[in-house]
Amino acid sequence: MNNDNKISTHYHHGNLLTAIESGLKKQGIKPENASVEDLGPVDEFHIGGRAASIHFLDQLRISPSQTILDIGCGLGGSARFTAKTYGAKITGIDLTPEYVDVGQRLCEWVGLSDRITLRRGSALSLPFEDASFDGAFMMHVGMNIEDKQVLMSEVSRVLKSGAKFGIYDIMKGNDEELIYPVPWATTHETSWVAAPKDYRMALEANGFVVDEENNRHDFAMDFFKKMKAASAAAGGPPPLGLHVLMQQTTAEKIPNMVANLAAGRISPIEMIAIKDA
């Protein structure tokens, strides 16, 4: 099994649409009446959820006239938020067929299927023409991609000159080995967490200039602290959340990630780069 298949298998759920429908119904929400906000807790698979998306995406200055690429779009939660908030047209690409299929259905539920297209494909071989997009972003994707040089080369190829490329990834904080499993990988075999300097080098080698870099470590620790407190107060997790995606492995993956954060092994980092700046 090649790495793409291993990664896709890692994220495969098997009954995801039904699980999301069930979570909505527990809140008295019919799927066809669901909003982008209703789906946010389950379909933004990155540290900080919607709050992180706002902080990150606002820096890209996305406008309604733009066409934006969401790399590693997952269920398309960030694509839906971007389309609704900034008015842009979004194309998302992801390795996991179930995520793409379910994500497109969720776009239909919230009335955004005319502005969002989700496709199955690899970030290392983007199925798009040169200079196709006005901007791009990826959120918690690079940890599953070994060759950052090829990744940045492909992103650079499909972006227009002057386009912004936003990255919100979990990156190395020190050289200690990570504790596994974590949300993006069961073992180190499909985990390629890199240091910020490695991202910068790959970006700069492919025509980008890094304009902004933000370490969101403290935000991440506070996010997990609040999530734990809310779960304890409610006597368990909410009807919709990342536990729906990770299922029974949540109880191991989240504490491991928090332990890795607390030890400084990893941090969520934002980078905003500009092509041909």
Side-chain angles (χ1 to χ4, degrees), residues 13 47 51 108 124 154 185 202 221 240 275:
H13 183 286
I47 292 173
E108 294 171 7
L124 299 180
E154 273 295 274
M221 293 301 295
L240 282 181
K275 181 182 173 182

Side-chain angles (χ1 to χ4, degrees), residues 150-168:
V150 173
L151 168 64
M152 302 311 176
S153 173
E154 273 295 274
V155 177
S156 180
R157 180 183 64 78
V158 302
L159 286 182
K160 297 174 183 176
S161 181
K164 287 190 175 183
F165 174 35
I167 298 168
Y168 178 49

Side-chain angles (χ1 to χ4, degrees), residues 58-229:
D58 274 355
Q59 298 174 69
L60 297 181
R61 303 289 189 266
I62 297 168
S63 69
S65 63
Q66 292 183 321
T67 301
I68 304 294
L69 177 62
D70 180 356
I71 301 159
C73 63
L75 289 172
S78 299
R80 283 184 288 278
F81 175 75
T82 302
K84 179 178 181 292
T85 304
Y86 308 103
K89 288 190 174 181
I90 314 295
T91 296
I93 188 164
D94 199 272
L95 284 176
T96 307
E98 185 180 26
Y99 275 19
V100 172
D101 292 343
V102 172
Q104 202 67 61
R105 186 69 179 276
L106 301 185
C107 289
E108 294 171 7
W109 287 357
V110 300
L112 288 172
S113 55
D114 61 327
R115 284 153 65 187
I116 300 171
T117 302
L118 306 182
R119 296 179 56 171
R120 185 179 183 276
S122 170
L124 299 180
S125 182
L126 293 169
F128 308 112
E129 298 292 326
D130 295 358
S132 298
F133 295 96
D134 301 300
F137 63 83
M138 65 182 203
M139 306 180 76
H140 288 27
V141 174
M143 307 92 70
N144 286 132
I145 297 176
E146 182 176 15
D147 197 331
K148 304 293 193 289
Q149 286 285 346
V150 173
L151 168 64
M152 302 311 176
S153 173
E154 273 295 274
V155 177
S156 180
R157 180 183 64 78
V158 302
L159 286 182
K160 297 174 183 176
S161 181
K164 287 190 175 183
F165 174 35
I167 298 168
Y168 178 49
D169 267 1
I170 293 174
M171 302 187 193
K172 272 188 178 181
N174 58 43
D175 291 328
E176 294 179 17
E177 290 295 320
L178 301 189
I179 301 170
Y180 291 94
V182 287
W184 66 90
T186 303
T187 71
H188 68 88
E189 289 186 354
T190 53
S191 178
W192 295 282
V193 180
K197 64 179 177 61
D198 298 318
Y199 277 80
R200 288 194 297 270
M201 287 173 60
L203 285 163
E204 290 165 3
N206 288 285
F208 289 99
V209 172
V210 177
D211 189 50
E212 293 283 345
E213 182 177 326
N214 304 306
N215 189 321
R216 301 282 278 156
H217 182 273
D218 292 345
F219 163 78
M221 293 301 295
D222 186 58
F223 169 74
F224 285 115
K225 181 180 178 181
K226 289 177 178 176
M227 188 174 76
K228 184 177 180 179

Side-chain angles (χ1 to χ4, degrees), residues 263-277:
R265 300 181 191 109
I266 55 173
S267 283
I269 305 288
E270 295 174 337
M271 285 187 180
I272 309 299
I274 304 173
K275 181 182 173 182
D276 302 326

